[in-house]
Amino acid sequence: MSLLAVEDIHTYYGEAHILQGVSLTVAEGEVVTLIGRNGAGKTTTLRSIMGLARPRRGHVRLRGEDLTPLGTHEIARRGIAWIPEERRVLPNLTVLENLRLGMLGASARNGDAEVLEEVFDYFPRLRERIEHRGRFLSGGEQQMLAIARGMVSRPSVMLVDEPTEGLAPLLVQNLTEILAAINRRGTTILLVEQTLEVALALSHRLYVMDQGRIQFEGTPDALRRDPTVQQRFLEI
Ligand SMILES: Nc1ncnc2c1ncn2[C@@H]1O[C@H](COP(=O)(O)OP(=O)(O)OP(=O)(O)O)[C@@H](O)[C@H]1O
Ligand SMILES: [Mg+2]
C-alpha cells in the first residue's frame, strides 16, 4: 500500500477548475517529484493534500486513511509536514524558537534535544546562527530553517515546495545533497521542483504536470529518454 495516495482529485479556486483529476502515489522511503511549468497546479496539489484547498472530488489517503474530511491541523498531526514556497520563517523569533515552534503539535514529544542535534548535523549553519532572529538570515538560511522546522516534527512525509528557487547554484547543490541525505535516513519526500536537473538527481519517480493534469509518470531515466514530454511540458 502507498504511504500517500492522491486519488483523482478535482480542486477549484472559486469557479476555476484547477486540478482536473490528479492522481499520484508516494511509497514509504521514496522521493517523488512533481514538476511542470508555472501555473501547472503543483502548489495546488500540495495545498489539496494539506486540506488548505479542498478537493471537491477525489480523496487523499495516508496509509489508507482518508484525509479529505480532516482539517489542516489534523492532517499535519497525522505526520505530513508542509514546507511552503514562501518559506515563512518567523522574522522576530530566533532560529531555535522557530525550530521549537515546529515541535509543537508533533506527535512524539520525546527526544526534543536529540532531534535538534540531528537537524543541526544536516544544517551546521543553523547551529552557528541558533540565536539569530529569522529576519537576519540569508535567503538560503531561511530555506534551511523552513526545512529544518518541518523535520523536527519527525513527519512521515515532507511536502517541499520549490526549495531551490532563488538560491545561488552552490546552495542549490548543497540543499540537493541535504535533501538526499534526509531521505536516505528514512524520510519520505514529495517534492515540487522546477529545475529538471535537481529533480532528476533526487527522485525515485517523477510526475510531470500541466494544466491541472498529470501528463507523465516515470523514473528519471524514463524522463531523460523522453524529449517529447520534456519539450511539451517542461520547456518554456
Ligand atoms: N488563491 C488562488 N486563487 C485563484 N487562482 C489561483 C490561486 N492560486 C493559484 N491559482 C491559479 O491556479 C493555477 C495553479 O496554480 P499553482 O500555484 O498550483 O501552480 P504551480 O504549478 O505551483 O505554479 P508555480 O510554478 O508558479 O508555483 C494557476 O492558474 C493559478 O493562477
Ligand atoms: Mg507553486
Side-chain angles (χ1 to χ4, degrees):
M1 190 209 300
S2 305
L3 178 61
L4 181 70
V6 171
E7 299 170 357
D8 194 27
I9 58 171
H10 290 253
T11 302
Y12 293 70
Y13 286 124
E15 286 312 303
H17 191 177
I18 305 295
L19 299 188
Q20 305 190 10
V22 170
S23 299
L24 60 88
T25 61
V26 185
E28 185 105 47
E30 272 191 314
V31 177
V32 170
T33 299
L34 205 50
I35 189 167
R37 292 197 184 99
N38 291 327
K42 306 178 298 293
T43 298
T44 305
T45 303
L46 299 190
R47 290 173 54 86
S48 300
I49 293 169
M50 290 311 293
L52 290 158
R54 298 231 154 246
R56 280 197 206 165
R57 275 172 51 196
H59 297 278
V60 176
R61 296 183 197 280
L62 185 71
R63 296 191 183 85
E65 183 194 7
D66 189 4
L67 302 181
T68 37
L70 304 179
T72 300
H73 190 67
E74 281 302 309
I75 293 171
R77 279 173 52 98
R78 295 290 193 285
I80 306 186
W82 179 52
I83 294 123
E85 257 171 309
E86 315 82 49
R87 294 166 195 180
R88 297 202 190 153
V89 161
L90 293 164
N92 292 323
L93 299 188
T94 65
V95 165
L96 186 60
E97 289 163 347
N98 267 280
L99 290 174
R100 290 211 183 284
L101 267 188
M103 291 168 160
L104 297 175
S107 42
R109 196 56 48 79
N110 307 329
D112 280 5
E114 198 181 302
V115 78
L116 280 178
E117 275 310 302
E118 193 182 319
V119 161
F120 289 138
D121 284 347
Y122 287 116
F123 301 106
R125 186 77 186 141
L126 293 182
R127 193 199 306 269
E128 289 165 20
R129 314 216 82 191
I130 191 163
E131 296 300 340
H132 285 68
R133 293 190 190 284
R135 71 181 122 102
F136 297 122
L137 302 179
S138 70
E141 289 164 351
Q142 288 187 20
Q143 185 57 278
M144 288 176 184
L145 180 54
I147 294 172
R149 195 176 51 191
M151 287 173 66
V152 294
S153 64
R154 294 197 184 282
S156 302
V157 192
M158 277 202 325
L159 314 180
V160 194
D161 199 346
E162 302 215 32
T164 67
E165 195 188 10
L167 300 187
L170 208 59
L171 267 176
V172 170
Q173 196 190 330
N174 182 233
L175 198 62
T176 304
E177 284 161 13
I178 291 170
L179 287 170
I182 290 170
N183 172 250
R184 276 198 303 276
R185 294 263 293 264
T187 305
T188 303
I189 299 175
L190 176 57
L191 179 71
V192 167
E193 179 58 61
Q194 292 253 46
T195 311
L196 183 60
E197 281 316 308
V198 171
L200 291 172
L202 268 174
S203 315
H204 297 97
R205 286 185 303 118
L206 305 102
Y207 290 88
V208 176
M209 197 166 189
D210 194 60
Q211 297 188 18
R213 295 167 196 256
I214 302 293
Q215 306 285 357
F216 168 94
E217 188 250 315
T219 61
D221 272 348
L223 183 54
R224 272 193 201 97
R225 286 195 304 262
D226 198 332
T228 313
V229 166
Q230 292 188 35
Q231 273 164 20
R232 278 186 67 194
F233 304 121
L234 300 177
E235 285 164 19
I236 300 136

